[in-house]
């Protein structure tokens, strides 16, 4: 149950696009199409942004998209807005357990 | 409207026990998979445990043998019994719903309850 690997921080200017990577192994990210992404603002509970690699829940902006290649999943946010500044976590299901990434702090410059 | 409200956190000495509760509304706990996820101060999310609708339970290695997840169908409430607590168990504990039987993502989260293990 080792944590998935995410960059500690990424940044971008309003209107730009950024991508956050999430690297696991063939036992988690690479073995299942069950990667999800969560946004967390300071002092708040996490919010589901992407599920099953690339699906968006109702109400989540289409500026958020997800993909996967091999053992690495990615979250892309296009048209960055100030309110996107938050921590982002990936998660993968793996045989009745779950593993999260260490989190990425997104700064909107 | 789906709501999850955790309670039961607090300050506890190492080696002590604590039971967390998560009262659910807007859906039936026993019909869903339910999980606990924790977050140490200033750290990332860590999955702790899950209970399936059929009653099967699974745990992270870090809490196996010390924590027990359960539910009370009559109260529509999820629990986490935590024994032999250690300093490294200090965290905000969130309960989270898994969207549907067979799903693998957490679609609703509670606001969290803080557990501090310290002498």
């Amino acid at each position: 149950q080792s944590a998935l690997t995410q960059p500690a921080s990424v940044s971008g200017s309003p209107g730009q696009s950024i991508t956050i990577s999430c690297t696991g192994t063939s036992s988690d990210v690479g073995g299942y199409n069950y990667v999800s992404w969560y946004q967390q603002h300071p002092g708040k509970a996490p919010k589901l942004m992407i599920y099953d690699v690339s699906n968006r829940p109702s109400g989540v902006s289409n500026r958020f998209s997800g993909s996967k290649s091999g053992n690495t999943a990615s979250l892309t946010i296009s048209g960055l807005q100030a309110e996107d500044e938050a921590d982002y976590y990936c998660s993968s299901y793996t045989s009745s357990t779950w593993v999260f990434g260490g989190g990425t702090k997104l700064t909107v410059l | 409207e789906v709501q999850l409200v955790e309670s039961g956190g607090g300050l506890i000495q190492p080696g002590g026990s604590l039971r967390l509760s998560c009262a659910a509304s807007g859906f039936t706990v026993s019909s869903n998979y339910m999980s606990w996820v924790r977050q140490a101060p200033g750290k990332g999310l860590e999955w702790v445990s899950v209970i399936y609708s059929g009653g099967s339970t699974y745990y992270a290695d870090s809490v196996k043998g010390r924590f027990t997840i359960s539910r009370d169908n009559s109260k529509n409430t999820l629990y986490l019994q935590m024994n032999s607590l250690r300093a490294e168990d200090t965290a905000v504990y969130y309960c989270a719903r898994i969207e549907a039987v067979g799903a693998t993502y957490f679609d609703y989260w509670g606001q969290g309850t803080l557990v501090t293990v310290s002498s």
Side-chain angles (χ1 to χ4, degrees), chain B residues 36-51:
Chain B
W36 288 95
V37 177
R38 69 184 181 183
Q39 186 170 34
K43 302 297 184 181
L45 301 173
E46 180 188 14
W47 176 78
V48 173
S49 182
V50 66
I51 183 167

Side-chain angles (χ1 to χ4, degrees), chain A residues 98 100, chain B residues 35-38 46-50 58-63 67 80 93:
Chain A
W98 280 257
F100 283 92
Chain B
S35 213
W36 288 95
V37 177
R38 69 184 181 183
E46 180 188 14
W47 176 78
V48 173
S49 182
V50 66
Y58 297 89
Y59 300 90
D61 289 343
S62 58
V63 306
F67 290 11
L80 186 68
Y93 285 74

Side-chain angles (χ1 to χ4, degrees), chain A residues 36-61:
Chain A
S36 51
W37 289 89
Y38 303 86
Q39 176 192 66
Q40 186 180 36
H41 287 107
K44 301 295 187 181
K47 174 187 175 184
L48 177 67
M49 305 302 286
I50 295 288
Y51 66 94
D52 294 350
V53 175
S54 59
N55 294 293
R56 264 188 324 274
S58 174
V60 172
S61 171

